[in-house]
Amino acid sequence: MKCPFCSHPDTQVVETRMAEDGGFIRRRRQCGGCEKRFTTYERPEVSLPVIVKKDGRRIDYDRSKLRGSFSLALRKRPVSIEKVDTAIEHVEDKLRTLGAREVQTHLIGELVMTELQKLDKVAYIRYASVYRSFEDIDQFKSIVDEVTQPPSPKATGKPATKPKA
């Protein structure tokens, strides 16, 4: 692989790690020319569905746009790049498993919100406020209430506990 810094054609793999979910392989490489290190990701190439915009236009799936959405919502939040990469993989896995040739943008937005809610509640609220076009404070309050309420016993799978008398 060619070095992205000096374009030297000789690079060496110095570390290889499999992603937790096994969806890709991360490789640390070192250039034989300038000795700088960089990371590459190896993943199977599977076509993702075409994205249908709100106005009906069809565009090819673009991972960088998805990463940009996550980056904007997570700006200045304490979430590692590895966790963001995993969240992006989850969204892409769901898109692949749909088996659809086309998906509406709103589905991708909902998938992003689901992943952001797991990663960081502030980022989730940021994204939801733009994605759902909040127009008043009551909409913000309802989503803040949603993320701050403790999960119901049904959602956690734990039996409800009765208060002691």
Side-chain angles (χ1 to χ4, degrees), residues 28-158:
R28 288 292 292 162
R29 297 177 180 268
Q30 184 169 355
C31 176
C34 67
E35 296 188 5
K36 289 187 179 179
R37 289 185 175 202
F38 60 98
T39 303
T40 61
Y41 295 91
E42 183 180 315
R43 62 180 49 83
E45 187 174 333
V46 178
S47 63
L48 287 158
V50 170
I51 310 304
V52 181
K53 306 287 275 181
K54 288 178 186 176
D55 64 4
R57 286 182 298 128
R58 285 162 172 69
I59 60 170
D60 289 334
Y61 172 81
D62 184 351
R63 185 175 235 257
S64 66
K65 288 184 178 182
L66 188 60
R67 180 173 296 287
S69 294
F70 275 96
S71 295
L72 191 57
L74 289 163
R75 186 168 176 252
K76 296 186 179 184
R77 299 299 304 155
V79 178
S80 72
I81 292 172
E82 289 79 18
K83 287 184 179 181
V84 174
D85 287 340
T86 301
I88 290 170
E89 288 293 325
H90 288 162
V91 171
E92 290 178 340
D93 287 347
K94 285 189 173 82
L95 290 174
R96 277 188 212 97
T97 58
L98 287 174
R101 297 178 84 174
E102 296 180 341
V103 295
Q104 302 288 325
T105 54
H106 73 85
L107 174 63
I108 295 174
E110 293 297 326
L111 293 172
V112 169
M113 285 199 330
T114 299
E115 292 301 318
L116 283 171
Q117 192 169 19
K118 295 177 205 171
L119 287 176
D120 186 273
K121 294 192 184 329
V122 171
Y124 168 71
I125 292 169
R126 280 181 186 168
Y127 186 87
S129 69
V130 174
Y131 177 71
R132 292 188 177 155
S133 303
F134 288 178
E135 294 181 9
D136 61 40
I137 197 72
D138 291 331
Q139 290 175 307
F140 271 105
K141 185 178 179 331
S142 69
I143 201 156
V144 169
D145 290 345
E146 176 187 321
V147 298
T148 56
Q149 289 183 14
S152 68
K154 235 183 214 182
T156 61
K158 296 179 182 175

